[in-house]
Amino acid sequence: MVTNPILPGFNPDPSILRVGDDYYIATSTFEWYPGVQIHHSRDLANWTLLTRPLNRKSQLDMRGNPDSCGVWAPCLSHDGEKFWLVYTDVKRKDGSFKDTHNYIVWADKIEGPWSDPVYINSSGFDPSLFHDDDGRKWFVNMLWDHRSRPNMFAGIRLQEYDPVARSLVGPMKTIWHGTELGLTEGPHLYKRNGWYYLLTAEGGTGYDHAVSLARSRQIDGPYETHPQKHIFTAKDAPLHPLQRTGHGDWVETPDGRHYIVHLAGRPITQKRRCVLGRETAIQEVEWRDDWLWLKGGGLLPHLATDVAGTRDDDLFWAPKHYDFDAGLPADFQWLRTPEPERIFAVADGRLRLFGRESIGSWFEQALVARRQTHFDYDAETLVEISPTDERVMAGLVAYYQRYNFHYLAVTADADGNRELLIMSSESSFPDGNLRFPAAPVRLPPTGAVRLALSIRQARLQFFYGLGADGDLIPIGPVLDASLLSDEGGAYGVDGSFTGAFVGVAANDLNGTATAADFSYFLYAPQRIDP
């Protein structure tokens, strides 16, 4: 038995694959680099981050991509010989137009190396690749119509993929328009007992999200809709602990059990915001009359699911003390750029950040961070930097996107005197203007500074100390951590898609790339009784 989610924190749009006794889940990474997270498990309960396959410039360059663009909804599959990964690189998502470029990469082994991408199309997003039992391959994606005639989400488009020519071939056909819930996306195709099944997400990724199903005897339709339309959804149960449940993918175990992994959000009571972003959960399903149904009946997804394994809770709650002796730890990512050597280096057991553009830049900023995976945690680091003026800074950051962050930075005043400054930004402020919730604290001209934060649900408190052993002293008021969420984001719950991160940053607005050194990073989950 496992309690959902199985991949906590920002891990949305799961695509699951079983090869032998091994399970793999690929999830979206949006503007965070490298692209796509692939986790591995053998019991569906304990998952380990295995690889991020889109890890070089020839595969992915997201410099200039707006917030919540980049890599959307990967689909992971295996055709008996090699692994295939399909994904979208979104260059624009706001307004009537969307620039959604779809690609395919492949590898002999899940760990890679993965190929350079083959461009497929840009007609919509959420692509997937289906390998039919006759050897043919089929590509599906949702279709986008900027005219809204009658819907922007214009249905699911099917076309054959030729792996020799490495292109789509033959006629295109829209095979299903979805239910009246609308916003039909996230298609996956399967075949069982002579039926083709089309599993989709509907209702948008907010609180009306659902997993919907249709079937046909022919791959190109016509498709009939599931008797209850959706396999499961929490849209009519606003107090259920698992909300926003949708975007699913189906897998069968070696012993014949069936599961759907799906994204979900767990809102905290304060402001009903999902501070851990969209996470991956799992439901057991069963076949009746050649339809999939939630095991146990009904539409409401379960908080706990019976799987082969049991999660190692000791590991989940263990503090993680990261040093940099062996390079950048696997839990960490950075934003957009395929040239990480320009923003950080790891040497002599330290992480050195080279100050680049401002925090929140869509092009090149030195910010290295890990996901928030617990509602309550402490974080800490030790930084050394010699800022020349107020345009040079480095420190500890709780970050969601360009206009949603809290930043405790070692910087300087206009005369070069070092000081400690809190900078906060939230999307409700005009044009993302900074707030400075506390007066700056004067620092000695040299020496390391210990920086820490404590997050308890929606409350964030910063701390600092002088030197590696300096006692931690609170600085500034309690801040609103709930703005580090989809709901608190600049685009709201239906347009902000990532999750809260905590990490380190360095900025040099003079353009001189002043370096900041970080000796360690601590992430310590806290068990807080409700």
Side-chain angles (χ1 to χ4, degrees):
M1 187 70 72
V2 66
T3 300
N4 280 311
I6 54 173
L7 296 180
F10 163 46
N11 276 293
D13 311 323
S15 172
I16 191 168
L17 169 67
R18 179 178 66 84
V19 179
D21 293 327
D22 296 294
Y23 298 93
Y24 306 100
I25 289 180
T27 55
S28 299
T29 44
F30 295 87
E31 65 264 35
W32 289 90
Y33 208 96
V36 180
Q37 296 213 124
I38 297 179
H39 284 81
H40 169 257
S41 176
R42 288 203 160 190
D43 62 7
L44 295 174
N46 296 284
W47 296 85
T48 302
L49 180 61
L50 185 65
T51 186
R52 295 190 185 101
L54 306 180
N55 55 21
R56 59 186 187 269
K57 186 177 181 179
S58 61
Q59 294 174 316
L60 184 65
D61 187 344
M62 298 183 290
R63 286 173 290 193
N65 285 19
D67 291 324
S68 289
C69 290
V71 176
W72 286 17
C75 175
L76 185 64
S77 62
H78 193 268
D79 65 358
E81 295 183 0
K82 64 181 66 174
F83 292 90
W84 299 81
L85 183 69
V86 187
Y87 62 97
T88 310
D89 180 9
V90 179
K91 299 300 184 182
R92 171 185 170 169
K93 73 173 184 64
D94 295 323
S96 295
F97 290 104
K98 281 181 169 50
D99 294 311
T100 57
H101 308 316
N102 296 319
Y103 299 92
I104 293 178
V105 294
W106 58 88
D108 293 329
K109 297 180 179 179
I110 191 73
E111 298 87 353
W114 288 81
S115 71
D116 280 347
V118 169
Y119 170 74
I120 302 300
N121 66 18
S122 300
S123 59
F125 48 87
D126 292 2
S128 67
L129 186 66
F130 169 66
H131 312 280
D132 208 343
D133 51 18
D134 62 0
R136 299 172 77 181
K137 300 183 187 299
W138 297 89
F139 190 89
V140 289
N141 59 267
M142 66 79 64
L143 190 65
W144 184 259
D145 188 344
H146 58 277
R147 308 165 305 162
S148 300
R149 295 184 183 173
N151 299 307
M152 284 184 166
F153 288 73
I156 304 304
R157 174 65 60 89
L158 172 78
Q159 192 172 6
E160 187 172 0
Y161 174 72
D162 184 338
V164 177
R166 296 181 178 177
S167 66
L168 298 177
V169 297
M172 298 177 289
K173 186 175 182 180
T174 301
I175 58 174
W176 197 54
H177 288 92
T179 75
E180 66 272 16
L181 186 58
L183 306 178
T184 306
E185 57 188 341
H188 292 285
L189 275 171
Y190 318 89
K191 191 175 186 181
R192 184 179 185 271
N193 289 347
W195 289 99
Y196 289 93
Y197 292 91
L198 179 63
L199 192 70
T200 67
E202 291 197 289
T205 196
Y207 288 91
D208 287 334
H209 214 189
V211 175
S212 302
L213 186 65
R215 73 180 184 185
S216 173
R217 287 296 189 183
Q218 305 296 325
I219 195 169
D220 61 350
Y223 279 80
E224 61 175 311
T225 302
H226 192 283
Q228 65 180 14
K229 300 178 184 176
H230 320 299
I231 301 176
F232 54 84
T233 178
K235 67 185 181 65
D236 300 316
L239 299 182
H240 190 62
L242 284 184
Q243 292 291 314
R244 306 175 64 184
T245 53
H247 203 113
D249 194 11
W250 165 64
V251 70
E252 182 178 359
T253 67
D255 61 355
R257 298 174 74 178
H258 303 270
Y259 294 89
I260 289 178
V261 295
H262 62 96
L263 72 78
R266 294 177 291 164
I268 59 174
T269 55
Q270 301 96 323
K271 300 185 180 181
R272 199 174 185 239
R273 289 177 170 178
C274 299
V275 295
L276 300 185
R278 299 178 303 155
E279 308 171 284
T280 290
I282 189 168
Q283 305 295 327
E284 188 169 6
V285 290
E286 56 189 0
W287 290 97
R288 300 199 306 268
D289 301 323
D290 284 322
W291 287 109
L292 274 174
W293 304 80
L294 186 63
K295 189 168 184 179
L299 278 170
L300 201 58
H302 301 140
L303 185 60
T305 300
D306 185 22
V307 298
T310 301
R311 188 177 67 184
D312 184 344
D313 273 348
D314 289 339
L315 181 62
F316 177 71
W317 289 104
K320 289 196 172 184
H321 189 284
Y322 301 97
D323 58 40
F324 303 104
D325 293 332
L328 188 70
D331 288 344
F332 288 80
Q333 289 181 272
W334 58 95
L335 287 161
R336 295 180 175 85
T337 179
E339 298 179 347
E341 66 277 5
R342 285 186 49 82
I343 61 171
F344 72 85
V346 179
D348 301 323
R350 291 187 172 194
L351 173 63
R352 170 164 286 187
L353 298 188
F354 306 108
R356 296 295 179 184
E357 294 177 333
S358 62
I359 190 167
S361 167
W362 287 349
F363 291 88
E364 189 176 59
Q365 63 163 311
L367 189 156
V368 176
R370 58 149 287 162
R371 285 158 176 74
Q372 178 182 342
T373 51
H374 301 76
F375 290 109
D376 307 287
Y377 75 94
D378 298 331
E380 180 183 314
T381 191
L382 187 72
V383 61
E384 294 185 56
I385 184 173
S386 299
T388 53
D389 59 30
E390 68 274 20
R391 283 169 291 277
V392 177
M393 64 203 76
L396 178 66
V397 61
Y399 184 89
Y400 180 81
Q401 62 184 19
R402 185 181 195 177
Y403 294 142
N404 297 79
F405 59 82
H406 297 299
Y407 188 13
L408 177 61
V410 177
T411 181
D413 63 19
D415 296 320
N417 301 304
R418 283 207 316 172
E419 63 183 25
L420 194 59
L421 186 64
I422 298 175
M423 291 171 281
S424 291
S425 177
E426 57 182 89
S427 57
S428 61
F429 274 72
D431 303 320
N433 290 337
L434 287 175
R435 288 188 302 134
F436 303 94
V441 173
R442 182 62 60 91
L443 295 173
T446 60
V449 183
R450 188 181 174 197
L451 305 176
L453 64 79
S454 170
I455 281 185
R456 301 293 183 265
Q457 303 271 320
R459 297 166 60 85
L460 182 152
Q461 177 67 63
F462 279 121
F463 302 85
Y464 79 100
L466 299 179
D469 300 319
D471 292 337
L472 289 175
I473 304 167
I475 177 174
V478 171
L479 302 172
D480 181 7
S482 77
L483 66 87
L484 310 175
S485 64
D486 294 352
E487 296 90 337
Y491 308 102
V493 68
D494 291 310
S496 300
F497 303 138
T498 57
F501 281 70
V502 61
V504 294
N507 315 95
D508 186 338
L509 309 185
N510 293 317
T512 54
T514 301
D517 290 332
F518 297 86
S519 302
Y520 65 86
F521 192 87
L522 174 67
Y523 178 90
Q526 302 295 313
R527 294 184 190 236
I528 307 295
D529 293 331

